[in-house]
Amino acid sequence: MNGRTVSGMPQHGLAWRWLWLLALALAACDARPPTTSDAYDPAAMDLKSPLARVTTARETGAFAAGSALSTTAALKPLDPAPVKDVRLDVTHKIIEISPGVKFAAWTFGDQVPGPTIRARVGDKIRFQMTNRSDEAVPGVRVTTAPMMHSVDFHAAMLSPQDKYRSIAPGQIIEFEFTLNYPGIFMYHCGTPMVLEHIAAGMYGAVVVEPRAGFPTKVDREYVIIQSEFYVKSDPDKRKVDGAPLYVLDGDRLRAAQPTHTVFNGAHNGMVKQPLPAKAGERIRLYVLNVGPSKTSSFHVVGTIFDRVWIEGNPDNQFRGMQTILLGSSNSATVEFVIPQDGSYMMVDHHFANASQGAIGLISTGKADVAELEHHNLPASATPTEPEAALGKLNFESKCVACHSLGQGRKLGPDMMGVTKRRTQDWLTRWLRSPREMLESDPDAKVMLKEYNNLPMPNQNLSDVEIRQFIRYFKWADAQPASSLSSSGAGH
């Protein structure tokens, strides 16, 4: 047939057509749906959110509402409802960072940190917030002028220009969003300057469970939120219940030099009231560092984190970790077993932060504070004279790792009675440049030998800070011994 088919088509052309049809068939087989799906495929997520609604129908009820909210470190069980109604109103109020340190804070839900929201992937959050910064909190006068505020949810995927807009006092903003990722997410005020709003107390956590739940079972769950405060004595010398009022110190804030670093809003708060546990129990901590500027090195003394989920997502798992490094707005879920009866210290292993109050306890019984290290001791009385009060804050942030006030010697001498042992001129020269004093002053040389030849480094203190230290030491030396002996090393 001279190389042609019956139809007249060349044989090699027919062969290529059959090969082409076979390739199409094989491609169709390969186009079958994959056997596994991507849980993080944006095409499967709910990215639709109606426009936010702003009204002026002022809310007058409780400052926080919703079954998904937890207001303490103990996290409530998950509410199974697929839609979570959450209301967190903004207030300006006085909080107590540490005994005697009354701070003019800005809050979500009338507390610092704000309440924790618990939900799961796929849940819808219907959120409402009233700016009530112009209201006087019952029993406490407003200390900061009313102002614009907003909210920024790191757990949400939506338009920030629409949902995170600032609203004026008396206004309400309402919007909704679906949770698409598991994890521990920060929420905070996003109104400029954001740094000041976070440092004033406007932050909290959203704990989002995986859609199918966690892969492990635990006996207790707690939320630990680390944050920094930057405070100074009120320039107007206002008082609260006879104690000096403290306000935000903008200079220290911009220099990232906190006066207090705390867990859950209070200096050593979970030392005085430890989180309960029992030997043999598995504990899950949801740990969030909100900053605004410092890194946390979270550690629990006496156990090991056998599971760590970075950002709270079980897909990001590590095993057998000692410490978790968290930058500002980073988080982690950590699980561990309580091996024996005892008190297990939660601490920022950046011990400068621990000495400022980043301490807590998980305890199988009542903690014996007297047996704890120096950075766990409860707070001492606070002087009412502004310079002495600032000296106390400086002492707490710079000195307590090496010195106590009425609790005995450490690496350096007990500072109790120092103004009776040394002249003001000697103390001034020593605080300004201990290195130079150790080279020339006989008393300094004797003290160096007494304390194992461990020289005190220069602290680069300003003249103002030196004066504040001396005022604080003079105030402490004038107090009855009983008022300081049980209160710790300046804490």
Side-chain angles (χ1 to χ4, degrees), residues 40 58 64 70 94 99 109 112 116 127 142 150 186 192 195 260 262 265 294 308 314 318 346 383 415 442 458 467:
Y40 306 112
R58 178 184 289 273
S70 297
I94 304 296
V112 178
T116 299
F127 180 73
V142 174
S150 63
M186 179 179 177
L195 178 63
H260 298 77
V262 302
K294 293 294 188 178
V308 173
F318 290 87
M346 300 177 292
M415 299 308 293
N458 289 340
R467 186 172 66 246

Side-chain angles (χ1 to χ4, degrees), residues 63 262 268 372 416 465:
F63 297 112
V262 302
N268 286 8
L372 301 176
M416 182 62 68
E465 289 176 314

